[in-house]
DNA sequence: CTAGACCTTCCCCCGCACTGGAAGGTCAAG
DNA sequence: CTTGACCTTCCAGTGCGGGGGAAGGTCTAG
């Protein structure tokens, strides 16, 4: 199986596969006589794992840690649990920030509705956006 | 007023001020005989405007558009409203994504709780993270 | 035999908003 | 006179996850 088909099987590009190999997420596969990468059908699972871990919000570095643990024969379960917990906290924090941002934007939109361009003193850039930094 | 004080007045660094000048957000100020940037006290308002607009979620590019409109004598109100509306939509979308991500993480955490390392077949990397991409 | 689809390595580039550091000039206080 | 705080320009790097494209080799169908 050459790199194009291998990549398609997991829904990524050949570029991405080479990149993952370069960063150590995928091992270097054997090569054909012509120098082409030659993957076994079963190799796709590891690539798919990378994608689902990514979909769960893990960074490539974190995925690399999990893979290295697994490759060294350990069960990465505990480490995975830690990572998931940390990510959950980050997501919660980000949700709070985003809700704040939404509240700010709604407040500004309200001000924008109530603002007549004629009211704006010409010396300021934009009344709507002013002085709401706090 | 030299750049350090000017920057402090708005809560940024001198580096940032130079960067804003370089990207066209701030005009080039006059220089002293020694080549130092020389700001008038009133110049701080524009810098503060940049920071509050940024706090409202606008990118520097968007802030630049608003400033250019304002500098050309136009009222940027309508444009500002458009930008705010677009940002509100982006924030809503992002909130949906994050809520999905949280749900995924909670599901995975549940699986992690219920998983005994002994149950994991050695040939897969990590059962917790597998096959939950959808 | 040739077109075109695929593969290789290589190096640089994207966005975003800065930040770090080198090498040098300037100014006020002690 | 020296120290140290400040300023100047210029170049390069950060993090993240790849993407663009050149220059060249290989394979397969018609």
């Amino acid at each position: 199986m050459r790199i194009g088909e291998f990549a398609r099987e997991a829904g990524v590009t050949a570029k991405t596969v080479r990149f993952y190999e370069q960063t150590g997420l995928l091992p270097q596969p054997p090569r054909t006589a012509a120098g082409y990468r030659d993957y076994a059908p079963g190799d796709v699972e590891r690539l798919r794992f990378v994608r689902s871990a990514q979909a769960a919000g893990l960074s490539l570095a974190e995925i690399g840690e999990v893979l290295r643990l697994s490759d060294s024969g350990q069960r990465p379960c505990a480490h995975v649990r830690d990572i998931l917990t940390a990510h959950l906290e980050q997501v919660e924090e980000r949700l709070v920030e985003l809700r704040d941002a939404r509240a700010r934007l709604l407040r500004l939109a309200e001000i924008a509705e109530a603002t007549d361009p004629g009211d704006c003193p010409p010396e300021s850039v934009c009344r709507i956006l002013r002085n709401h930094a706090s």
Side-chain angles (χ1 to χ4, degrees), chain A:
Chain A
M1 201 185 213
R2 289 182 307 182
I3 196 173
E5 189 186 350
F6 178 66
R8 265 191 304 277
E9 292 276 312
V12 301
T13 67
K15 280 273 192 194
T16 301
V17 171
R18 290 190 201 100
F19 174 69
Y20 286 174
E21 179 184 325
Q22 193 193 312
T23 52
L25 296 179
L26 299 178
Q28 299 191 358
R31 302 288 183 128
T32 67
Y36 289 7
R37 286 171 179 80
D38 190 18
Y39 296 94
D43 296 345
V44 178
E45 205 215 325
R46 191 184 177 100
L47 181 52
R48 288 223 180 93
F49 171 78
V50 173
R51 298 309 278 189
S52 28
Q54 220 178 7
L58 276 70
S59 69
L60 294 186
E62 288 167 332
I63 297 169
E65 285 177 33
V66 173
L67 286 171
R68 265 188 298 286
L69 280 179
S70 173
D71 289 345
S72 72
Q74 297 178 46
R75 311 286 191 175
C77 306
H79 191 60
V80 167
R81 262 195 287 264
D82 290 351
I83 291 177
L84 289 179
T85 304
H87 273 276
L88 197 51
E89 279 170 25
Q90 279 176 26
V91 166
E92 301 285 6
E93 279 172 27
R94 190 80 188 105
L95 273 171
V96 171
E97 285 173 19
L98 268 188
R99 277 195 274 263
D100 284 358
R102 183 175 54 181
R104 267 200 308 277
L105 281 172
L106 285 172
R107 214 162 0 107
L108 291 179
E110 232 173 80
I111 294 173
E113 279 310 307
T115 300
D116 178 356
D119 288 350
C120 291
E123 72 277 10
S124 75
V125 177
C126 173
R127 238 192 178 167
I128 300 170
L129 290 172
R130 259 180 69 207
N131 285 343
H132 303 281
S134 64

